[in-house]
Amino acid sequence: MEYTANLKKMDNGWYLAQCEQLPAAITQGSSIDDALTNLKDAINLLLEDEKADFQKKQTGLRFLRRKVAVI
C-alpha cells in the first residue's frame, strides 16, 4: 500500500514527516531521507499495533450459525 508523506522543514533544520492517511504516524529526521525512513518505521509500528488490537478484540467474539429458510 502507498501512503502520502507530508514533510516540513523546521526552524532548527530538521524535517517533520507525517503520514496523510495515518495522522498518528508522525516523526522527524535530520534530513529528508532520515525523516522518510523514520516515517516508514512509524507507519509499520502503528499498523502492527492496530493489527494486535484487532486480533485481541477478535478472540472474544463468538459467532452463531443458524440456518434460515427463505420463502
Side-chain angles (χ1 to χ4, degrees):
M1 183 166 200
E2 291 185 5
Y3 296 96
T4 304
N6 293 319
L7 294 164
K8 178 180 179 183
K9 188 169 184 175
M10 306 302 290
D11 292 337
N12 61 3
W14 283 59
Y15 291 87
L16 180 72
Q18 185 173 21
C19 178
E20 193 171 288
Q21 293 84 0
L22 301 167
I26 186 169
T27 189
Q28 61 183 4
S30 59
S31 68
I32 292 174
D33 288 338
D34 287 343
L36 290 175
T37 298
N38 293 341
L39 186 59
K40 289 176 188 176
D41 291 342
I43 291 169
N44 284 326
L45 289 171
L46 185 63
L47 293 176
E48 286 175 16
D49 192 45
E50 291 292 322
K51 182 179 176 183
D53 285 348
F54 179 76
Q55 288 174 340
K56 285 179 189 175
K57 290 176 185 173
Q58 295 302 309
T59 58
L61 295 178
R62 290 186 349 183
F63 294 95
L64 301 175
R65 292 182 118 180
R66 303 220 186 237
K67 292 184 179 182
V68 294
V70 178
I71 301 174

